[in-house]
Amino acid sequence: MPPGGERWRFQKGLNGSVLMKRRNPGSQTLFAVPLHCDGCVKDVSNSLYKLAGVNKVEANLKDQLVSVEGSAAPSAIVEAIQATGRDAILRGSGASNSAAVSILESFAEQPTTAGREEQARSVRGLARMVQVNPTRTLVDLTVRGVAPGTYRATIREYGDLKNGAQSTGPVWAGGDADAKGFLGVVEVGEDGRGSGFVDHPFQVWEVIGHAMVLTRQEEGAKPLENDENTVVGVIARSAGMWDNDKTVCSCTGKTLWEERKDEVDKGML
């Protein structure tokens, strides 16, 4: 049982991953989806309405956008859209300054061809956060490419990734004797995939700049180790519902779909 005596229930995601869920308040998320006709809109809408917690779906054929209201996890929404043969990119969630993201990477040391060791930066997970009221924030976490087992998700006291998980400090207390930074557990299946979706008592601004860690290691007197199944990332602000209207990167000239392909090739979820 997670800290605080809270019980979690589990259910299967579309890809067979195990989802950690609690009763969550609703929120609104916006996705870019390649839509070519009314049939595309119907296919995507029908797939999304099959998800528990989806209350409303609106699609804009001209702007290639799909808005979803409800309590379904963004990762589950992306899976449902991908099940129709289309990709999806999260463009924003919640109000301005109420959303955050953490890209979770492995800092395990890997031997090089020269026999030396270096830190690999392999993307293994992604955490999205959106604040839904003054005291609660939704956390949607997805991980893949790690060993099966029970993993603990935590927010750490520091955002220092110089030495990976080792330099992130203890679990973030947040002024709470039980430590606000304990998010719960994620069950990873035999395919190396797992997901978690919870609401937690903190505001987004409180955790910006802190690190997030997902690990099978037990919390103890010594710092966490950078083993191959521990992933870590800094929590940074992300776009609100209508904050991100970029379709072409001004730096590279690539479209958002070209950027999406590049990130997926690097391991991004």
Side-chain angles (χ1 to χ4, degrees), residues 69-143:
E69 293 183 15
S71 60
S75 57
I77 294 172
V78 170
E79 285 185 13
I81 294 173
Q82 290 176 336
T84 70
R86 302 164 181 85
D87 203 354
I89 301 174
L90 179 66
R91 301 293 281 161
S93 56
S96 295
N97 299 318
S98 70
V101 65
S102 180
I103 299 172
L104 302 173
E105 300 175 293
S106 167
F107 279 71
E109 293 184 342
Q110 301 285 342
T112 66
T113 54
R116 295 173 299 175
E117 291 186 339
E118 62 179 12
Q119 286 185 318
R121 299 293 185 270
S122 175
V123 176
R124 301 285 180 84
L126 180 67
R128 303 179 181 95
M129 303 180 187
V130 57
Q131 186 176 324
V132 293
N133 66 42
T135 62
R136 310 295 297 190
T137 293
L138 300 182
V139 182
D140 176 25
L141 189 153
T142 304
V143 64

Side-chain angles (χ1 to χ4, degrees), residues 44-91:
V44 170
S45 297
N46 287 344
S47 183
L48 290 174
Y49 277 123
K50 292 177 182 178
L51 285 178
V54 170
N55 300 327
K56 183 178 180 181
V57 178
E58 291 185 337
N60 186 316
L61 188 60
K62 178 183 177 181
D63 295 332
Q64 308 279 284
L65 296 173
V66 174
S67 171
V68 182
E69 293 183 15
S71 60
S75 57
I77 294 172
V78 170
E79 285 185 13
I81 294 173
Q82 290 176 336
T84 70
R86 302 164 181 85
D87 203 354
I89 301 174
L90 179 66
R91 301 293 281 161

Side-chain angles (χ1 to χ4, degrees), residues 233-248:
V234 172
I235 300 170
R237 290 195 183 279
S238 64
M241 183 65 182
W242 300 105
D243 288 347
N244 186 4
D245 58 1
K246 181 187 74 171
T247 58
V248 178

Side-chain angles (χ1 to χ4, degrees), residues 135 155 171-183 200-203 206-207:
T135 62
I155 296 172
V171 176
W172 174 59
D176 191 326
D178 293 327
K180 284 186 179 180
F182 282 107
L183 300 179
H200 212 64
F202 61 77
Q203 299 180 66
E206 294 182 274
V207 299

Side-chain angles (χ1 to χ4, degrees), residues 13-32:
L14 292 180
N15 64 354
S17 59
V18 180
L19 302 175
M20 166 188 69
K21 289 183 69 70
R22 277 181 62 193
R23 183 182 300 276
N24 296 302
S27 60
Q28 188 176 22
T29 50
L30 184 70
F31 301 84

